[in-house]
Every structure is written in C-alpha cells, then in structure tokens.
Amino acid sequence: MSELLRPGPDGELGNAAEGYLLWHATVTEAEQRAREFVEAMDWLTTSQREEIERCYVADRLKRARKDIERIAARCLELRAEYEHRYRRLRRRCVGLALTVCAASTAAVTLLLLL
C-alpha cells in the first residue's frame, strides 16, 4: 500500500477521497455549464463550440481552485486561532484547579491545627 493510501491518524485517506470526489463533481459541473453556455449559440461551428467550452471549463476550474485555496487558508487560520484559545483556556482551568486544591488543602490544614 502506498503512503498516500495508508490511513493516517487524522483520517487523511477519507479527506483525500472526499477532496477527489468534490473536485470531480466540480469538473463535471463546469463541463455541464459550459455545454449549456454554448448551446444557445447555434451559429458557432463545432470547433468554435469546443474551444469556448474548453476555455469556459478552464476558467471555472481556475476560479474553483482559487476559492478552495482561500477556504483552506482560512481554515488553517481558524484552526490556529482555536488552538491558541484552547491552550489558554486549558492553562486557566489547570490554574484554577490547582488554586482550588491548594485552598482546600490550606483550609483542611487550618481546621486540623485548630
């Protein structure tokens, strides 16, 4: 089994398969829209239709790729932000738990000494 197909700890194989299927659906939709776009232009020759369809599909896929890259970058930004917030919250919770334990220990010690 190749490295790419080996399932990783974060479900990388599932993500790769989902990404492939989504991209394939995007290509199929772009091709369908291109056919619909040139359908109304009955004066075009076959080669002109094919060229317009090819250009239309290429443009749609270029835009889709940019959108996906922008979304992926934003996901990474959000992940970093949430991880930072989680670490800060975890430190606060641990600090609060240690403070409560220390206060409880001090209270019990005082009660036992009295």
Side-chain angles (χ1 to χ4, degrees), residues 57-92:
V57 169
D59 181 61
R60 293 279 301 193
L61 294 180
K62 186 171 76 173
R63 289 179 185 202
R65 183 175 194 88
K66 286 182 181 180
D67 290 343
I68 290 170
E69 288 171 352
R70 189 182 72 250
I71 291 168
R74 181 64 180 143
C75 287
L76 291 175
E77 290 173 6
L78 287 173
R79 181 179 183 143
E81 181 181 332
Y82 288 140
E83 285 176 350
H84 175 71
R85 287 184 181 184
Y86 175 75
R87 282 191 300 272
R88 191 172 56 194
L89 178 63
R90 187 175 54 195
R91 279 194 308 267
R92 288 172 55 192

Side-chain angles (χ1 to χ4, degrees), residues 14-78:
N15 289 340
E18 184 179 11
Y20 171 79
L21 292 174
L22 286 172
W23 185 253
H24 184 68
T26 302
V27 170
T28 303
E29 181 184 353
E31 291 169 346
Q32 177 62 34
R33 286 181 182 247
R35 281 190 295 277
E36 292 170 0
F37 180 72
V38 297
E39 190 175 282
M41 301 176 202
D42 53 355
W43 63 87
L44 295 174
T45 65
T46 303
S47 63
Q48 289 172 330
R49 283 178 183 268
E50 290 171 355
E51 180 64 19
I52 290 173
E53 282 182 26
R54 187 191 61 72
C55 290
Y56 187 95
V57 169
D59 181 61
R60 293 279 301 193
L61 294 180
K62 186 171 76 173
R63 289 179 185 202
R65 183 175 194 88
K66 286 182 181 180
D67 290 343
I68 290 170
E69 288 171 352
R70 189 182 72 250
I71 291 168
R74 181 64 180 143
C75 287
L76 291 175
E77 290 173 6
L78 287 173

